[in-house]
Amino acid sequence: MEQYLIFRLADEYYGLLVSFIENIEKMMPITRVPNTKEYIKGVINLRGEIVPVIDLREKIGVPKEEFGDETRILIVNWKNEFKVGLIIDEVLDVVYLSKEDVDSATKDRNEFSFTIAKYNNMLINIINLEDVLFKKAEEG
């Protein structure tokens, strides 16, 4: 059993291993950095540490939408090498998923593949954080 944070992007559910998540922040001012990809929203000052922020919707090809009251920034830590913020629409829950919950089926979107998990009648797209951080999004 592994623990996942379940969150929403548009009308779909996504999961990310809790072990990657350092904390969850409400939206805050983001300083734009010139000459970066559109999905890189800029940087935030998180208690004195400068953290780049990616709009996860734009990175994986979910249609853009205005940020709302439930919009959050997931601060993820990649192998203690660096931190990055991922903008998501809404945090829903933290759940344990077993290998039986995670299907071998995958779903492709904008050059990214997601493993599908089933939990309480929800289909959850399990995010491969390495892909999101290092794979280039399809140029649109």
Side-chain angles (χ1 to χ4, degrees), residues 64-110:
K64 284 191 225 182
E65 202 173 273
E66 291 295 317
F67 300 140
D69 291 340
E70 298 301 319
T71 302
R72 297 291 183 264
I73 302 174
L74 303 181
I75 306 299
V76 297
N77 189 325
W78 180 254
K79 299 181 178 182
N80 289 322
E81 293 176 23
F82 63 87
K83 295 177 188 175
V84 65
L86 302 175
I87 299 173
I88 55 107
D89 291 347
E90 180 182 14
V91 171
L92 299 173
D93 205 353
V94 174
V95 301
Y96 284 95
L97 297 176
S98 67
K99 291 195 185 304
E100 291 77 34
D101 295 322
V102 179
D103 199 323
S104 59
T106 59
K107 173 182 168 184
D108 294 326
R109 176 193 288 278
N110 198 30

Side-chain angles (χ1 to χ4, degrees), residues 8-114:
R8 185 180 58 77
L9 289 176
D11 58 353
E12 294 185 336
Y13 302 109
Y14 291 82
L16 181 62
L17 277 169
V18 166
S19 59
F20 287 120
I21 300 169
E22 198 162 283
N23 55 352
I24 301 168
E25 301 289 333
K26 288 185 175 183
M27 279 302 288
M28 61 181 68
I30 299 172
T31 304
R32 185 80 179 132
V33 177
N35 303 317
T36 57
K37 300 282 186 190
E38 188 64 29
Y39 58 81
I40 300 173
K41 294 292 128 186
V43 295
I44 56 173
N45 183 337
L46 189 63
R47 294 175 277 287
E49 187 173 4
I50 303 303
V51 178
V53 177
I54 294 172
D55 187 333
L56 193 54
R57 274 177 170 262
E58 289 186 55
K59 176 76 183 212
I60 65 173
V62 175
K64 284 191 225 182
E65 202 173 273
E66 291 295 317
F67 300 140
D69 291 340
E70 298 301 319
T71 302
R72 297 291 183 264
I73 302 174
L74 303 181
I75 306 299
V76 297
N77 189 325
W78 180 254
K79 299 181 178 182
N80 289 322
E81 293 176 23
F82 63 87
K83 295 177 188 175
V84 65
L86 302 175
I87 299 173
I88 55 107
D89 291 347
E90 180 182 14
V91 171
L92 299 173
D93 205 353
V94 174
V95 301
Y96 284 95
L97 297 176
S98 67
K99 291 195 185 304
E100 291 77 34
D101 295 322
V102 179
D103 199 323
S104 59
T106 59
K107 173 182 168 184
D108 294 326
R109 176 193 288 278
N110 198 30
E111 302 292 318
F112 296 96
S113 291
F114 301 95

